[in-house]
Amino acid sequence: MKLPMKVMSVAAVAAVVASLAACSTGAGSGADAATANLDARGPITYVQGKDNSGIVNPLVEKWNADHPDERVTFKELTDEADQQHDDMVQNLQAQNKDYDVMSVDLVWTAEFAAKGWLQPLDDAGIDTSGMLQSTVDSGTYNDILYAAPVTSDGGILYYRTDLVPEPPTTWDEMMAMCPIAAQNGIACYAGQFAKYEGLTVNATEAINSAGGTVIDDEGNPALETDAAEQGLQNLADAYANGNIPAEAITYTEEEGRIAFQGGKLMFLRNWPYVYNLASTEGSSAVKDVLGMAALPGTDGPGASSLGGHNAAISVYSDTKATAIDFVKFLTSEENQRFYATQGSLAPTLSALYDDEALISELPYLPVLKTSIENAVPRPVTPFYPAVTNAIQDNAYAAIKGEKTVTEAMTDMQNSIESAGSQ
Amino acid sequence: MSTETRARSAEDPNNPKSTGRSPKSNKALKEVGEDRRAATQGRWATILIAPAIIILGIVIVYPVINAIIMSFQADAGLDPETGLFTEGGFAGFSNYTGWLLQQCGGPNGTTVACSPGTLGAQFWEAFGTTFYFTIVTVALETVIGFWMALIMSRAFRGRSLLRASVLVPWAIPTAVTAKLWFFIFAFQGVINAVFNTDVLWTGSEGPARWAIIIADVWKTTPFMALLILAGLQIIPGDVYEAAKMDGASTWQRFRHITLPLVRPALMVAILFRVLDALRMYDLPQIMTGGANGTTTLSILVVEQIRQGFNAAAALSTITFLIIFIVAFIFVRFLGANAVDAATTSTRAG
């Protein structure tokens, strides 16, 4: 009698671990929900991650002033992408009708759409004709538009104009310039190579830029090709011969930016946000010699990975007519301009990239346009978490030289196949 | 036992009528009364315990059982026609064999060995990593914690200040600790600057593991030290005095008095730390993201949750069983008894 009691009390302590995964899975049948409440109007909620640049509240206030009967409430989630994802999944699974409009990271779009949680927008009258095609692709799953592109993002190659007068246009050109960095006692090139989402971005950029593809149009992995292999081989070779410095294997966006701003790096692949900091911060050693170019490819601009957020409507919303109007409001030219000037968030409307007034404020826009025009969305697949894990694990091992690139590609291919056939 | 005695003595004054009767009838009456009292007490005990039992049932039993039920369901698959997810249905033990035998889904519903890059392929590695971290950190924490407790138990000026300041690392939230050590171990961080080295602490397996071990030992040794200190305090001083009179050396006093008498408290402290270390999550997650052989079972569970709840439920059930077995071994064979030790220290205090 005494022993079982003891065992039970110990079991109670250990049981907390098991409760980790004990979230209930509701049957997520959204097929009927997608046709309901299409004409209903009323107050709605807009859900988005932390509003770091303080632009959502002014927009919501503007909307509310014009729509007193269809007020928008802004629900702000955390800063962390994973936590935003998990919060939305929980609420959609619980069929919460208060999550009317959500700001969905483009890599979640396919997963949410395949779960039947997103309202198809093909008949909603959202004008995508003026938008950059790659951003529209990022909101599309199975040829149906599920999310309207609101903001975009693309990779930029930052370089030192004092060391490199003319930026490289191809990867081979860039590697050929690396002796200049060595002569000046600094490292040549870095991106984001720590094992996290940033590595998926960099590895898929390398694969796409070399002409390969991660997931083909049918949704199957297509990694065992010479082109795809060459892409990853470029990174592995550069790491092996020191063109990518050893410490870059621990770099996320910030470590790379700090090294570049400290004058320790000649080329840096990063997002547009670096421009403001590197050109204005007092501690920046590259303030006056900061150059920007499109990412280098095989024989022209490389294929950037696309970033950004799309606005999607929950199928469980009970006020969809208002929700659709609000999505149109978010994607309007006026508000896209507001996003760009107030929040430094890249617009999705093509015309804004050629707008002189906007370019004088955000000088990186022309380069970014080239980047986004050539961008490939990260693999559009409902199994994105498994796919990104497969890419990260194997690309990391291949860059570090722990396995050959050929092995890494085979393992990546098999892992993604397993993910799709659970 | 003690509760019963206390309850009875508390009730006696409520029964003044019992005085003045003949001893015999008095005794009989008392027996009847005690039966009734026992029955009432039993009812009251049930009522008073019920809320605790219900809450435990809701927060522990229900999730555990639900997790076990989920672990026998397959995760949702994709319908190739519509591109939408469909329910997985009953899966038998396939979620469990997936982890334990490292079998992943292959083309056309077959199973193949998990290739590197899937979570399934990482199970045994994560299992080994978790135990490696547990054994190394708990061993270090026990030795250093014991040493710190011996110092803190002495009488000297500023003892309370030392005891309070030792607790500081323990008081800092683990996530904050992890972020601090992350910056300390960064390539351009404090450690490389102070020692003038170029070690990629989070970039290769050995250094990454030791970075995490150092951070964990720094954080939890104070906890260990305080639990051991509590055990040291209940050893009466005259035992040491008597030993000294008999001419026992410092080592002999430590070996034959301190160690055996502090053992119950020590075993409980080790048990708590082992259970804690087996579910280590925050430190490796924040410091390395699980790269370079630092993925623990808990990290694997959380990653799997994003890929499919049901396989994650199976994995957390496996983790639960592993921790349960370890705890069982401790309680059954090594004599760690959290309940008895707590009672002992309460009485002594």
Side-chain angles (χ1 to χ4, degrees):
Chain A
M1 185 62 204
K2 206 180 171 197
L3 180 67
M5 283 299 286
K6 275 192 274 182
V7 172
M8 292 238 309
S9 61
V10 171
V13 176
V16 178
V17 174
S19 61
L20 247 172
C23 324
S24 90
T25 44
S29 160
D32 303 330
T35 51
N37 301 318
L38 279 173
D39 301 320
R41 295 189 168 273
I44 60 168
T45 305
Y46 173 59
V47 185
Q48 192 203 293
K50 191 165 165 49
D51 179 22
N52 286 319
S53 29
I55 47 167
V56 176
N57 280 319
L59 280 180
V60 167
E61 272 163 31
K62 193 170 134 196
W63 166 275
N64 285 347
D66 295 342
H67 303 83
D69 298 330
E70 300 167 57
R71 294 179 66 85
V72 170
T73 310
F74 174 36
K75 178 169 177 183
E76 196 170 8
L77 303 179
T78 71
D79 209 4
E80 280 287 315
D82 282 343
Q83 290 171 6
Q84 296 168 22
H85 171 263
D86 295 352
D87 179 89
M88 287 182 190
V89 167
Q90 280 162 20
N91 278 284
L92 289 166
Q93 213 149 34
Q95 312 196 354
N96 184 350
K97 58 183 168 40
D98 292 335
Y99 270 43
D100 300 279
V101 180
M102 295 166 292
S103 172
V104 179
D105 192 313
L106 53 88
V107 298
W108 312 331
T109 310
E111 179 195 346
F112 288 7
K115 288 262 167 72
W117 291 334
L118 301 185
Q119 181 69 34
L121 298 180
D122 281 344
D123 303 328
I126 289 167
D127 181 20
T128 56
S129 57
M131 293 178 178
L132 293 164
Q133 190 53 42
S134 57
T135 66
V136 178
D137 291 345
S138 77
T140 306
Y141 175 66
N142 254 0
D143 298 329
I144 299 170
L145 184 73
Y146 281 99
V150 177
T151 63
S152 187
D153 219 349
I156 290 180
L157 182 73
Y158 293 89
Y159 68 98
R160 293 269 299 267
T161 51
D162 56 335
L163 302 176
V164 189
E166 199 62 33
T169 52
T170 68
W171 177 268
D172 291 339
E173 263 179 59
M174 182 164 78
M175 290 298 113
M177 290 175 179
C178 280
I180 304 175
Q183 280 159 23
N184 288 279
I186 61 175
C188 185
Y189 173 78
Q192 292 78 45
F193 302 124
K195 195 172 149 288
Y196 78 119
E197 184 61 26
L199 180 58
T200 304
V201 169
N202 280 260
T204 47
E205 265 169 12
I207 291 168
N208 289 323
S209 293
T213 176
V214 177
I215 300 222
D216 64 17
D217 295 337
E218 258 87 73
N220 299 313
L223 285 157
E224 288 174 303
T225 62
D226 290 342
E229 209 165 290
Q230 184 57 45
L232 191 57
Q233 191 69 51
N234 285 342
L235 289 181
D237 286 347
Y239 189 76
N241 65 24
N243 284 346
I244 294 176
E247 61 267 26
I249 204 76
T250 64
Y251 279 5
T252 65
E253 280 88 355
E254 278 300 86
E255 286 89 353
R257 176 182 73 80
I258 290 163
F260 183 74
Q261 271 186 221
K264 293 172 186 156
L265 205 54
M266 192 162 77
F267 295 113
L268 172 71
R269 178 255 172 251
N270 213 320
W271 305 98
Y273 86 98
V274 170
Y275 171 77
N276 273 335
L277 296 168
S279 62
T280 58
E281 266 195 355
S283 62
S284 172
V286 297
K287 234 183 287 186
D288 305 317
V289 291
L290 180 63
M292 288 177 292
L295 299 178
T298 315
D299 43 13
S304 168
S305 286
L306 200 63
H309 282 81
N310 302 332
I313 297 170
S314 161
V315 287
Y316 306 113
S317 165
D318 52 4
T319 42
K320 283 178 190 163
T322 305
I324 289 169
D325 283 355
F326 187 66
V327 170
K328 286 178 186 162
F329 170 81
L330 288 177
T331 52
S332 69
E333 185 180 330
E334 189 190 349
N335 290 325
Q336 291 265 304
R337 191 183 292 272
F338 182 76
Y339 270 117
T341 53
Q342 300 300 309
S344 288
L345 294 168
T348 51
L349 288 169
S350 176
L352 289 176
Y353 286 87
D354 304 323
D355 185 297
E356 291 297 333
L358 216 50
I359 292 175
S360 69
E361 225 171 308
L362 306 167
Y364 54 78
L365 279 182
V367 173
L368 189 59
K369 189 186 182 189
T370 318
S371 169
I372 295 178
E373 272 175 347
N374 289 294
V376 178
R378 269 167 283 172
V380 178
T381 160
F383 300 106
Y384 189 74
V387 171
T388 182
N389 191 65
I391 296 174
Q392 284 174 36
D393 270 14
N394 290 300
Y396 191 78
I399 292 174
K400 285 184 70 185
E402 285 166 359
K403 60 168 88 162
T404 67
V405 170
T406 315
E407 277 171 350
M409 291 320 239
T410 311
D411 289 343
M412 237 185 250
Q413 174 88 14
N414 292 340
S415 301
I416 296 175
E417 268 167 14
S418 288
S421 55
Q422 273 165 348
Chain B
M1 173 74 183
S2 58
T3 337
E4 208 180 304
T5 327
R6 225 176 297 140
R8 215 183 283 163
S9 59
E11 275 182 22
D12 267 348
N14 296 339
N15 205 355
K17 280 179 185 169
S18 62
T19 49
R21 300 267 171 107
S22 72
K24 199 182 171 189
S25 65
N26 190 8
K27 195 183 169 199
L29 204 77
K30 213 172 170 183
E31 266 171 13
V32 174
E34 273 191 7
D35 278 355
R36 200 164 49 219
R37 243 174 259 146
T40 323
Q41 249 178 32
R43 224 176 7 253
W44 266 108
T46 315
I47 293 169
L48 290 173
I49 289 173
I53 296 286
I54 291 168
I55 289 172
L56 284 180
I58 293 170
V59 301
I60 293 178
V61 180
Y62 168 71
V64 170
I65 290 174
N66 198 20
I68 292 172
I69 294 172
M70 278 168 67
S71 70
F72 289 103
Q73 304 287 323
D75 278 315
L78 210 58
D79 182 342
E81 296 285 308
T82 60
L84 298 179
F85 277 109
T86 50
E87 289 289 305
F90 183 70
F93 281 93
S94 72
N95 283 331
Y96 289 93
T97 53
W99 292 112
L100 298 173
L101 307 177
Q102 312 208 308
Q103 290 170 341
C104 286
N108 308 321
T110 54
T111 51
V112 293
C114 291
S115 49
T118 55
L119 294 181
Q122 293 180 42
F123 174 77
W124 286 108
E125 197 195 333
F127 178 87
T129 306
T130 307
F131 274 84
Y132 176 83
F133 278 142
T134 303
I135 291 167
V136 177
T137 58
V138 174
L140 286 173
E141 283 157 19
T142 308
V143 173
I144 303 173
F146 210 125
W147 175 66
M148 282 165 69
L150 287 174
I151 293 174
M152 285 193 290
S153 67
R154 300 220 180 133
F156 56 89
R157 276 174 69 90
R159 185 172 74 163
S160 347
L161 186 72
L162 178 78
R163 282 189 188 176
S165 57
V166 152
L167 258 189
V168 169
W170 175 249
I172 300 175
T174 314
V176 179
T177 309
K179 210 68 196 171
L180 286 176
W181 284 99
F182 172 79
F183 290 125
I184 291 173
F185 282 114
F187 179 69
Q188 285 150 348
V190 181
I191 296 251
N192 276 346
V194 170
F195 296 102
N196 204 12
T197 49
D198 286 332
V199 180
L200 288 172
W201 283 98
T202 52
S204 51
E205 179 162 327
R209 284 187 170 187
W210 276 95
I212 290 164
I213 288 170
I214 290 169
D216 191 66
V217 169
W218 180 81
K219 184 184 160 49
T220 33
T221 303
F223 172 74
M224 203 70 169
L226 278 198
L227 282 186
I228 297 171
L229 178 65
L232 287 178
Q233 304 252 294
I234 60 166
I235 304 176
D238 41 8
V239 186
Y240 287 107
E241 252 171 61
K244 249 187 209 170
M245 300 279 274
D246 291 340
S249 69
T250 317
W251 170 248
Q252 280 172 326
R253 292 201 298 273
F254 176 76
R255 176 73 189 75
H256 295 289
I257 297 174
T258 312
L259 265 190
L261 288 178
V262 85
R263 192 172 171 269
L266 185 65
M267 289 314 290
V268 171
I270 293 177
L271 172 68
F272 280 174
R273 276 304 304 147
V274 165
L275 296 187
D276 223 15
L278 283 174
R279 52 191 181 83
M280 187 192 283
Y281 173 76
D282 345 30
L283 277 178
Q285 176 65 40
I286 293 171
M287 288 177 68
T288 63
N292 296 306
T294 56
T295 298
T296 60
L297 286 171
S298 296
I299 292 183
L300 208 55
V301 173
V302 173
E303 281 185 9
Q304 179 59 46
I305 287 176
R306 303 215 165 90
Q307 299 189 14
F309 287 123
N310 295 329
L315 181 57
S316 58
T317 306
I318 293 171
T319 311
F320 165 67
L321 288 175
I322 291 169
I323 296 181
F324 182 84
I325 290 167
V326 170
F328 181 82
I329 290 170
F330 258 87
V331 174
R332 185 77 181 83
F333 300 107
L334 299 176
N337 191 329
V339 183
D340 277 3
T343 325
T344 319
S345 56
T346 321
R347 272 186 202 143

